[in-house]
Amino acid sequence: MINENNLPHLPFRESVNPHIERIVQRESYTELQLKNMIRDMGLKVTQQRLAILRALNEGRVHVTVQEVFEVVSQTHSDVGFATVYRFLKKLKIKQHVTEVRMGGGAARYELASKTHHDHLTCVGCGLIIEFEDAEIETKQNVVAEKFGFNLTHHVHELYGVCNRCQKNP
Amino acid sequence: MINENNLPHLPFRESVNPHIERIVQRESYTELQLKNMIRDMGLKVTQQRLAILRALNEGRVHVTVQEVFEVVSQTHSDVGFATVYRFLKKLKIKQHVTEVRMGGGAARYELASKTHHDHLTCVGCGLIIEFEDAEIETKQNVVAEKFGFNLTHHVHELYGVCNRCQKNP
DNA sequence: TTTGTTGCAAAACATTTGCACCCTG
DNA sequence: CAGGGTGCAAATGTTTTGCAACAAA
């Protein structure tokens, strides 16, 4: 099966990620930092893994496997999804990427930033705003403590209608 | 393909949902309320839809389509997943059920309760505790307002290691 | 009787896995 | 050159859809 871009066998649909507004800034990693990230995971530094990390580092945030695959394909004509899936899973386990499942489609991934943040998503146009709120984070710990939990991570997604979509429904 | 329960063609794996501790109580709906729920959505009241609602109303919380299907199959020998999927989607749109996607597998659903709550999930054993926190809810509205959003709903999942799993790692 | 709903099977979508070959350390 | 990593294709898992038969209003 060949799609309109003439890429080999893409079983996924073109994914939609209209526009992203980044509120919380994350500084990009250097090439060396990316290599060390792989090494520190006890893995071999391959061209494919570097290319995947570069895609996550430079490209837009909240990408699907499909999108990573497309970017990486530009420089490596014959990567497979399998590699992207496999590496992304390892990165997820090591908490280097965060998996976000908004709505029903494929999972979206983003390279972890030092400052944690959450998401505010417009159900109308898909705009994603990142926010952080120290008070909420604190309250979470209180809740966890109350039930004897040792918190590892969390997902906090707010959904609503953005300003622009309120005016142009 | 026949599985060990002799049910017709079950493409899903047996799902794991070890134990649920319900902190926030939700009163069950009456049979009449369930019927009205369907009617109010402008849909026909069929036996299948009633059976699906009953399963959500009486059974355990956070069920997968597979689990709903199994329960409904006990009284309706020939429901299809399609029906379960279709109706669940409608319920989701009308906000009568909440879809939760913990981890990677199939989506889990629960009948909406009047009092909103969020989830605290143990990454060790899968224990799910429901909690509610008015202060956090308030803070969310502040955040939304700050970015000009009109909030529709949200997902707030805390993950950690529960008491028991901390002692028996 | 009219129209929405269902079950079935197949398609579509998303992710994982087995295996022979390849490349990093 | 040893062992992990890769691409491919096939398997597996999850959800959606087309259509003829059917049931609720």
Side-chain angles (χ1 to χ4, degrees):
Chain A
M1 187 198 307
I2 301 288
N3 72 356
E4 78 263 45
N5 295 320
N6 227 27
L7 292 172
H9 180 53
L10 292 179
F12 304 131
R13 68 154 182 280
E14 185 80 8
S15 38
V16 185
N17 193 2
H19 50 289
I20 303 279
E21 190 169 327
R22 180 172 272 284
I23 300 298
V24 179
Q25 276 298 335
R26 175 180 62 70
E27 67 287 9
S28 291
Y29 290 96
T30 65
E31 191 78 5
L32 180 59
Q33 286 176 318
L34 296 182
K35 279 188 186 168
N36 283 336
M37 188 183 292
I38 304 174
R39 254 193 284 270
D40 294 348
M41 294 167 73
L43 301 173
K44 289 185 177 175
V45 180
T46 64
Q47 287 312 306
Q48 292 88 333
R49 284 173 177 164
L50 263 179
I52 291 169
L53 279 185
R54 276 192 213 108
L56 291 169
N57 193 39
E58 297 161 9
R60 43 179 174 171
V61 273
H62 311 110
V63 287
T64 59
V65 167
Q66 165 73 20
E67 289 164 350
V68 173
F69 175 84
E70 282 169 13
V71 172
V72 174
S73 291
Q74 290 168 17
T75 48
H76 294 76
S77 51
D78 57 349
V79 259
F81 320 109
T83 301
V84 182
Y85 272 111
R86 279 187 282 234
F87 187 42
L88 236 23
K89 185 175 236 181
K90 286 184 157 83
L91 286 169
K92 188 174 75 174
I93 290 169
K94 294 284 185 181
Q95 312 248 40
H96 281 125
V97 302
T98 309
E99 187 188 67
V100 185
R101 303 185 77 87
M102 335 238 199
R108 291 188 171 280
Y109 299 88
E110 68 173 316
L111 208 46
S113 52
K114 291 203 179 100
T115 58
H116 172 81
H117 64 262
D118 294 296
H119 299 123
L120 175 57
T121 303
C122 177
V123 295
C125 64
L127 169 70
I128 299 175
I129 289 186
E130 302 183 338
F131 71 92
E132 49 185 339
D133 189 301
E135 276 185 59
I136 293 181
E137 308 276 316
T138 307
K139 281 299 285 177
Q140 287 179 167
N141 290 324
V142 174
V143 170
E145 206 170 314
K146 179 173 162 192
F147 294 109
F149 269 60
N150 204 338
L151 228 53
T152 55
H153 61 291
H154 72 266
V155 176
H156 197 177
E157 311 290 337
L158 306 186
Y159 296 88
V161 185
C162 76
N163 230 319
R164 208 172 55 152
C165 286
Q166 285 174 46
K167 288 170 191 158
N168 310 46
Chain B
M1 186 200 307
I2 300 289
N3 72 355
E4 77 263 45
N5 294 318
N6 228 27
L7 292 173
H9 180 54
L10 292 179
F12 304 130
R13 67 153 183 278
E14 186 77 9
S15 38
V16 184
N17 193 1
H19 49 290
I20 302 280
E21 190 170 324
R22 180 172 271 285
I23 301 297
V24 180
Q25 277 298 335
R26 175 181 61 71
E27 66 288 7
S28 291
Y29 290 96
T30 65
E31 192 78 4
L32 181 58
Q33 286 177 317
L34 296 183
K35 279 188 186 169
N36 282 336
M37 188 182 292
I38 304 174
R39 253 193 284 272
D40 294 347
M41 292 167 73
L43 301 173
K44 289 183 178 176
V45 179
T46 65
Q47 288 311 306
Q48 292 88 332
R49 284 172 177 165
L50 263 178
I52 290 168
L53 279 184
R54 277 193 213 107
L56 292 168
N57 193 39
E58 297 160 9
R60 43 178 174 169
V61 273
H62 310 111
V63 287
T64 58
V65 166
Q66 166 73 19
E67 288 164 350
V68 172
F69 176 83
E70 282 169 13
V71 172
V72 173
S73 292
Q74 289 168 17
T75 48
H76 294 76
S77 51
D78 58 349
V79 260
F81 320 110
T83 302
V84 182
Y85 271 111
R86 280 187 282 233
F87 187 41
L88 237 22
K89 184 174 236 179
K90 286 184 158 82
L91 286 169
K92 188 174 75 177
I93 291 168
K94 292 286 184 179
Q95 312 249 40
H96 281 126
V97 304
T98 310
E99 187 188 65
V100 185
R101 302 184 77 88
M102 334 237 199
R108 292 188 171 280
Y109 299 88
E110 68 173 314
L111 208 46
S113 52
K114 294 211 176 90
T115 58
H116 172 80
H117 63 263
D118 294 297
H119 298 122
L120 175 57
T121 303
C122 177
V123 295
C125 64
L127 169 69
I128 298 175
I129 288 185
E130 302 184 339
F131 71 92
E132 49 185 340
D133 190 300
E135 276 185 60
I136 293 181
E137 307 277 316
T138 307
K139 280 301 285 178
Q140 287 178 167
N141 290 324
V142 174
V143 170
E145 205 169 316
K146 179 173 161 191
F147 294 108
F149 269 60
N150 205 337
L151 229 52
T152 56
H153 61 293
H154 71 265
V155 176
H156 196 177
E157 311 289 338
L158 306 186
Y159 295 88
V161 185
C162 76
N163 229 319
R164 209 172 54 153
C165 286
Q166 285 175 46
K167 289 170 190 158
N168 311 45

